[in-house]
């Protein structure tokens, strides 16, 4: 089977531990090899791989993994939220609704949308903003002043950036 952009794949050398979608395909002129830039389907991860190390994943396996990951994430978010709320002495109305308010900044639009869906499923009040990582240090202060969140979540800052030291 030919692998093309958008396919859901697993890396053979990693026992298909993480599902990826093919974001880009790059043909090397020097080595005559083909590489793929991969982005995680269920996890926020980016990787590269030789196309020969990839295998397409069957739809049923994709759905099974997605359901399992969503169940784990829902449980993890719920547990973390309760822990944070308890530490901050914030009350909950019931199991699904909370008075806590979260501001979530994410550099990746897809994961920002996915995060917002999880928060909504849990009944957590949230504002999710898709802001590129390089702009986050400049805008986070004003957003915190504007929204006054109980919890601030910032994702997509996978580097040590001196701009963050000013905050």
């Amino acid at each position: 089977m030919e692998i093309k952009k958008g396919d859901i794949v697993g890396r053979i050398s990693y026992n298909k531990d993480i599902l990826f979608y093919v974001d880009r395909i790059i043909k090397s002129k020097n080595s005559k090899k083909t590489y793929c830039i991969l982005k995680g389907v269920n996890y926020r991860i980016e990787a590269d791989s030789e196309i020969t190390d990839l295998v397409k994943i069957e739809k049923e396996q994709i759905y099974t993994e997605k359901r399992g990951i969503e169940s784990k994430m829902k449980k993890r978010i719920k547990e973390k939220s309760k822990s944070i709320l308890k530490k901050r002495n914030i009350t909950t109305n019931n199991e699904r609704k909370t008075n806590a308010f979260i501001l979530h900044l994410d550099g990746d639009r897809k994961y920002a949308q996915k995060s917002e869906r999880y928060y909504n499923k849990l009944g957590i009040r949230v504002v999710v903003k898709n802001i590129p990582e390089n702009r986050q240090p400049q805008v986070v202060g004003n957003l915190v002043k504007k929204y006054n969140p109980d919890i601030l979540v910032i994702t997509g800052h996978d580097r040590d950036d001196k701009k963050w030291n000013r905050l």
Side-chain angles (χ1 to χ4, degrees), residues 7-59:
D7 284 346
I8 305 295
V9 298
R11 296 176 295 177
I12 297 166
S13 61
Y14 286 85
N15 296 319
K16 301 178 268 179
D17 62 340
I18 297 175
L19 299 186
F20 293 93
Y21 69 89
V22 178
D23 187 54
R24 286 184 291 159
I25 298 176
I26 302 166
K27 295 184 186 211
S28 172
K29 293 177 184 174
N30 298 338
S31 66
K32 307 231 188 232
K33 293 182 180 181
T34 301
Y35 295 89
C36 294
I37 303 299
L38 310 169
K39 291 196 174 185
V41 171
N42 296 307
Y43 297 102
R44 185 172 184 170
I45 184 172
E46 187 172 307
D48 59 71
S49 176
E50 278 190 50
I51 201 165
T52 56
D53 189 37
L54 301 176
V55 61
K56 283 187 183 182
I57 303 297
E58 299 292 324
K59 286 187 180 195

Side-chain angles (χ1 to χ4, degrees), residues 2 7 9 12 15 25 28 30 38 73 77 80 85 90 93 95 98 103 106-107 120 127 130 143 152 154 162:
E2 181 186 347
D7 284 346
V9 298
I12 297 166
N15 296 319
I25 298 176
S28 172
N30 298 338
L38 310 169
M73 290 300 292
I77 290 170
K80 262 304 189 204
L85 296 174
I90 300 169
N93 296 331
E95 276 298 306
T98 178
L103 173 60
D106 201 308
N120 289 332
V127 169
N130 173 226
L143 290 171
L152 173 64
I154 303 174
K162 292 180 184 176

Side-chain angles (χ1 to χ4, degrees), residues 63-129:
Y63 294 130
T64 299
E65 177 153 332
K66 184 177 180 182
R67 284 190 301 271
I69 295 291
E70 285 182 356
S71 176
K72 285 180 192 175
M73 290 300 292
K74 186 175 181 178
K75 182 178 177 185
R76 204 180 287 165
I77 290 170
K78 195 172 193 175
E79 288 170 359
K80 262 304 189 204
S81 296
K82 281 184 179 181
S83 171
I84 291 168
L85 296 174
K86 187 175 181 180
K87 285 179 187 176
R88 292 183 176 255
N89 237 359
I90 300 169
T91 60
T92 58
N93 296 331
N94 59 42
E95 276 298 306
R96 292 190 44 82
K97 299 289 180 188
T98 178
N99 288 328
F101 175 65
I102 297 175
L103 173 60
H104 181 135
L105 309 182
D106 201 308
D108 186 299
R109 181 185 48 80
K110 179 182 172 188
Y111 289 100
Q113 292 169 343
K114 185 181 267 192
S115 297
E116 189 167 25
R117 283 193 305 271
Y118 284 126
Y119 289 124
N120 289 332
K121 281 183 182 179
L122 293 171
I124 295 173
R125 295 181 308 128
V126 65
V127 169
V128 178
K129 297 284 188 182

